[in-house]
Amino acid sequence: MEAVLIIKGIIILAIFALSLGIAAYETYFERVVAAYIQDRVGPDYAGPAGIFQPLADAGKLFFKEDFIPALADKSLFILGPSLAMLTALLTSAVIPFGDSFIYEGQKILVQGIEVNIGILWVFGIVSLGVYGILIGGWSSNNKYSLYGAIRAASQNISYELAMGLAIIAILMMTGSLSIRSMVEAQHGFNWNIFYQPLGFIIFLTCSFAECNRTPFDLPESENELVAGYHTEYSSMKLGLYLFSEYVNMFISSAVIASLYFGGFNYPGMDWVYSKFTSIWGATVGHNWATVIGICVLMAKIFFFIFLFMWVRWTLPRFRYDQLMDLGWKALIPLAVLNMIITAAAQLSGKPLWIGLILTLIIMLVIFLPAIKKRTVKA
Amino acid sequence: MLSQFGFILLFIVGAFLMLAGILGMARLLRPDKPNDQKLLSYESGENAEGGSLVSFNIRFYVIALIFVLFEVELVFLFPWSVVFGDKQLIEQTNGLWGWFSMAEMFVFIFILSLGLVYAWAQGHLDWLRPDQKVNPFKSEIPSDLYENINKKYS
């Protein structure tokens, strides 16, 4: 029991370090990707190719003076960014980053905590994430901050519904709330994206909105609201807000990869596993196969992080009425439809390709008018 | 399973400790010299007129109300979705279970969709659109001139 506790402690520390480290380097890659897309050089001053830029940024945030506006509610002003960071960090507890390591005959899962309510935990903590922004914006006692906070709250709750409905379609296929059993059901190349293409699009859009990323970054749209909900923040409290956005991006990429793209599964994993165990024996081979699985999951996560950045530097921001229309009038009905299709497909017992073709036809019918409109305008 | 939730508690405590560490370290390192000018609310350089805790658009409130209704729907759907495809139950009832649970949930979702349609038809989901005015100004420079320039220098 003692050893297990120590190992769990190490895993928890490792997950914190991993989320924070990846978040720090996301800020660097964000700049590199932006520079590449805008045909600039990007950060190149701190260290070779600017790789120490995140460290310099963190140092700057630590040494800046931090003032709390005279009109602000002091305790809530400090609580806001702390809550934002806390909710961002807690989500990573249930994500399975890999299969398991065998150590002294015991199987240790590469996961913070394996609970039977995994996805419900993620969903609940993400809902709590609204409070961080809302409390911070409200307690600043600044009109820009208040507008940003209300926009953020309204946007997050609108997109949460479609996100939940998309998750439910996945749950109906797996019959379990544990993320690990969802990932294990996608063994090999049996990924959920082939069963849930529409659900994947809905989930991806909603995760953009939940992370307040462009094209959904209305809470902090800088040409309308100065800096939105963090107008009055400075020093490390501002740093916590900015950091929590990047941690959220990492976590939502991990959740997308686990729910739709098979997590640590990859085609040919059984062959690799049997090869490794025959070369190095059951224990060492198993551990090496797990390491490869972790690398595969990381590659998927980095792809989605890149997608987040790619979209940010390509698409302009929505108008608020467009944002609300997309959430309530497009995504929620589509998510309900997706759920009904999934239920019917589960019960009919027909092979996969019939469902795929049906979904494609439905998607064509829905998206064709929009595409036509656009081509006529151009 | 209880021990797993114990680890969740450990995780939460760890996150709190880390936050306290970051904020405490920043407090030790940073300068602290407040004055009246620094502590003013930022409003693009002007002095702030009145407090900010004023009434705002009622639409946000309506959206929040509709959200609560649908969130409750989600809470009911989560347990349903887990037992929906249960192979054992389907076998025991000869396939009846799946169709029964699906029909039951269809009634539930139908009523809620009706609610959404009602809110939609009542215009609670509509937001103010900015007027898009077409500029009546007509330039005397023909547009093909620009195209020719673009072609010449591309």
Side-chain angles (χ1 to χ4, degrees):
Chain A
M1 190 60 206
E2 289 272 302
V4 173
L5 204 67
I6 289 166
I7 288 166
K8 275 287 172 188
I10 290 169
I11 287 178
I12 288 171
L13 275 182
I15 286 174
F16 278 149
L18 189 77
S19 343
L20 289 176
I22 285 183
Y25 271 88
E26 266 173 68
T27 60
Y28 169 70
F29 282 112
E30 173 105 56
R31 290 174 193 191
V32 171
V33 169
Y36 179 72
I37 288 176
Q38 296 170 347
D39 205 7
R40 296 187 278 117
V41 179
D44 68 338
Y45 204 79
I51 53 167
F52 297 130
Q53 191 66 44
L55 301 179
D57 285 341
K60 189 194 81 173
L61 286 171
F62 272 116
F63 285 107
K64 282 282 174 185
E65 184 177 351
D66 185 356
F67 26 79
I68 297 175
L71 290 174
D73 186 321
K74 197 181 169 196
S75 53
L76 288 182
F77 193 79
I78 299 170
L79 185 67
S82 313
L83 210 58
M85 192 66 198
L86 194 71
T87 50
L89 282 176
L90 286 183
T91 331
S92 56
V94 292
I95 290 166
F97 286 101
D99 190 14
S100 61
F101 284 117
I102 296 176
Y103 175 72
E104 289 184 350
Q106 265 187 326
K107 258 195 179 179
I108 297 153
L109 303 177
V110 189
Q111 184 177 12
I113 300 121
E114 160 62 10
V115 277
N116 51 2
I117 54 154
I119 193 71
L120 207 58
W121 167 264
V122 172
F123 194 63
I125 296 287
V126 165
S127 315
L128 282 179
V130 180
Y131 285 104
I133 293 173
L134 194 58
I135 290 175
W138 184 84
S139 65
S140 306
N141 211 341
N142 177 314
K143 287 164 193 113
Y144 294 122
S145 304
L146 183 71
Y147 275 123
I150 292 169
R151 279 187 185 188
S154 208
Q155 167 186 329
N156 280 21
I157 60 176
S158 302
Y159 280 80
E160 217 171 274
L161 294 174
M163 191 169 164
L165 288 170
I167 290 175
I168 279 173
I170 290 274
L171 291 182
M172 282 155 66
M173 291 174 50
T174 332
S176 167
L177 286 164
S178 149
I179 300 184
R180 177 167 286 273
S181 55
M182 279 182 212
V183 171
E184 274 164 3
Q186 305 175 52
H187 191 82
F189 204 43
N190 187 27
W191 296 353
N192 277 337
I193 176 72
F194 303 121
Y195 303 90
Q196 295 280 342
L198 188 60
F200 166 65
I201 292 172
I202 294 166
F203 193 89
L204 189 70
T205 318
C206 292
S207 58
F208 275 94
E210 292 288 323
C211 293
N212 297 327
R213 294 284 296 183
T214 325
F216 299 99
D217 66 341
L218 283 111
E220 45 184 308
S221 53
E222 50 279 75
N223 42 13
E224 299 167 31
L225 298 179
V226 187
Y229 58 89
H230 55 65
T231 305
E232 293 289 359
Y233 280 92
S234 52
S235 182
M236 209 52 216
K237 297 199 191 80
L238 175 71
L240 287 181
Y241 266 134
L242 300 184
F243 233 55
S244 71
E245 181 184 326
Y246 284 94
V247 176
N248 274 331
M249 222 161 92
F250 165 62
I251 300 300
S252 52
S253 300
V255 172
I256 292 171
S258 311
L259 289 190
Y260 291 95
F261 285 83
F264 49 79
N265 295 308
Y266 53 96
M269 59 189 291
D270 289 327
W271 182 80
V272 170
Y273 186 83
S274 61
K275 272 279 163 196
F276 276 20
T277 42
S278 65
I279 294 170
W280 287 305
T283 311
V284 183
H286 176 89
N287 288 354
W288 275 110
T290 304
V291 168
I292 293 211
I294 295 173
C295 293
V296 167
L297 177 65
M298 281 298 156
K300 287 172 187 169
I301 291 174
F302 284 132
F303 172 75
F304 281 107
I305 289 173
F306 173 68
L307 189 72
F308 270 88
M309 290 168 187
W310 190 5
V311 169
R312 171 166 180 186
W313 297 105
T314 311
L315 294 183
R317 186 181 295 136
F318 282 135
R319 231 167 41 213
Y320 206 75
D321 65 307
Q322 290 171 330
L323 171 98
M324 285 316 226
D325 277 2
L326 180 66
W328 286 94
K329 297 181 181 172
L331 288 184
I332 292 178
L334 270 183
V336 172
L337 190 72
N338 183 43
M339 213 174 75
I340 292 170
I341 295 172
T342 312
Q346 280 282 93
L347 290 182
S348 66
K350 292 278 189 297
L352 169 65
W353 57 270
I354 295 178
L356 261 182
I357 288 171
L358 265 178
T359 323
L360 273 180
I361 289 170
I362 290 167
M363 277 160 83
L364 265 184
V365 168
I366 291 162
F367 292 122
L368 210 56
I371 295 166
K372 258 189 189 164
K373 223 166 144 188
R374 173 162 291 185
T375 44
V376 166
K377 262 186 193 163
Chain B
M1 193 44 78
L2 194 68
S3 63
Q4 293 289 351
F5 284 102
F7 287 125
I8 282 197
L9 186 70
L10 203 66
F11 207 89
I12 294 173
V13 171
F16 266 110
L17 282 181
M18 211 194 64
L19 267 175
I22 289 176
L23 284 177
M25 203 159 85
R27 198 189 172 86
L28 289 179
L29 290 175
R30 70 185 179 221
D32 188 23
K33 300 188 195 76
N35 63 31
D36 287 352
Q37 291 296 316
K38 281 181 188 171
L39 298 183
L40 280 180
S41 294
Y42 178 75
E43 233 162 73
S44 314
E46 302 282 328
N47 278 343
E49 284 283 332
S52 75
L53 303 180
V54 289
S55 52
F56 53 87
N57 199 330
I58 188 84
R59 284 171 194 282
F60 289 105
Y61 178 70
V62 176
I63 286 283
L65 268 186
I66 305 174
F67 160 75
V68 171
L69 290 181
F70 276 86
E71 192 74 348
V72 172
E73 172 195 4
L74 275 184
V75 169
F76 282 120
L77 280 178
F78 266 103
W80 167 76
S81 61
V82 176
V83 293
F84 163 75
D86 196 325
K87 294 240 163 52
Q88 241 183 343
L89 282 169
I90 289 177
E91 267 170 32
Q92 274 173 9
T93 52
N94 227 346
L96 198 66
W97 166 261
W99 294 107
F100 173 68
S101 60
M102 188 167 144
E104 208 175 30
M105 206 31 83
F106 266 20
V107 174
F108 183 61
I109 292 170
F110 178 73
I111 294 171
L112 271 153
S113 312
L114 223 58
L116 183 67
V117 170
Y118 176 76
W120 192 336
Q122 290 282 307
H124 292 313
L125 304 181
D126 291 331
W127 290 73
L128 288 178
R129 275 165 203 270
D131 281 339
Q132 287 179 328
K133 284 183 188 139
V134 181
N135 195 346
F137 176 74
K138 280 212 176 73
S139 172
E140 286 177 11
I141 302 165
S143 61
D144 55 328
L145 192 74
Y146 292 111
E147 277 166 27
N148 286 340
I149 290 174
N150 281 341
K151 255 181 218 157
K152 193 175 170 187
Y153 291 106
S154 61

